[in-house]
Amino acid sequence: MIQKTLSIVKPDGVKRNLIGKIVAMFEDKGLKIAAMEMKLLSKKEAEGFYVVHKERPFFGELVDYMTSGPVVVMALEGENAVLRNREIMGATDPAKADAGTIRKLYGVNVGENTVHGSDSPENAAIEIGYFFPSSKIF
Ligand code: CMP
C-alpha cells in the first residue's frame, strides 16, 4: 500500500550537517521525497504540532528545542511509508534504537533524537497537512 508520512530533521540534525545523509537513507530504502522545506518553527507552530504532548512534563523543553534552530520538514512517500520510516528512524530513545537506524547512528538523547516521524497513517495525514498544502506535495 502506497502511503505518505511526515519526517522532520530536527535542529540537532541540521546543525551537525546531517540533512544529506538522512535524506539519502530514506531514498536508498525506497522512500521518495514528495515535499520538502527548511524552516525555523515559531513557538506557536511547534506547540500546535506537538499538541498531543501538551500535558507531558517535557512539553516546554520539546517546544524550546524544536524552535532552537532550523528544521527540514518532508513528506515521504512509498510502500508502507509510515512503518518503513519508523524502521529507518529507530526507537525514540537513541540508546534503545536498533543498529543502523538514524537515531542509533546520530541521536544524542531522547530529546535531541535527530528525526521525527508520524506514528500512524491518521497522524501522518494530519501532520503533512499541518506543514504542506496539497499544491506543494508532488
Ligand atoms: P518525536 O517523535 O518528535 O515526538 C515527540 C518527541 O518528544 C519525541 O520525538 C522526543 O524527542 C520527545 N520526548 C519524548 N520523551 C521525552 C523526554 N522524556 N524528555 C524530552 N523529550 C522527550
Side-chain angles (χ1 to χ4, degrees), residues 10 50 53 58 61-62 92 103 110-111 113 115-117:
K10 295 187 178 186
Y50 281 120
H53 297 302
F58 57 82
E61 195 185 316
L62 175 61
T92 304
R103 285 164 168 168
V110 74
N113 61 356
V115 278
H116 166 82

Side-chain angles (χ1 to χ4, degrees), residues 11-84:
D12 64 279
V14 173
K15 275 189 193 110
R16 290 181 293 148
N17 264 2
L18 296 171
I19 299 168
K21 287 194 174 77
I22 291 167
V23 169
M25 284 176 76
F26 293 139
E27 292 185 334
D28 289 349
K29 291 174 194 298
L31 294 176
K32 156 184 168 325
I33 311 297
M36 182 183 246
E37 187 182 8
M38 189 171 191
K39 62 188 299 179
L40 185 60
L41 299 182
S42 68
K43 189 165 187 247
K44 242 183 166 172
E45 262 178 319
E47 284 173 346
F49 182 73
Y50 281 120
V51 70
V52 294
H53 297 302
K54 75 171 187 299
E55 303 304 335
R56 305 277 195 106
F58 57 82
F59 184 67
E61 195 185 316
L62 175 61
V63 168
D64 285 349
Y65 167 61
M66 289 299 288
T67 56
S68 66
V71 298
V72 176
V73 185
M74 290 175 270
L76 306 176
E77 184 183 76
E79 193 65 37
N80 292 317
V82 173
L83 184 62
R84 191 87 191 96

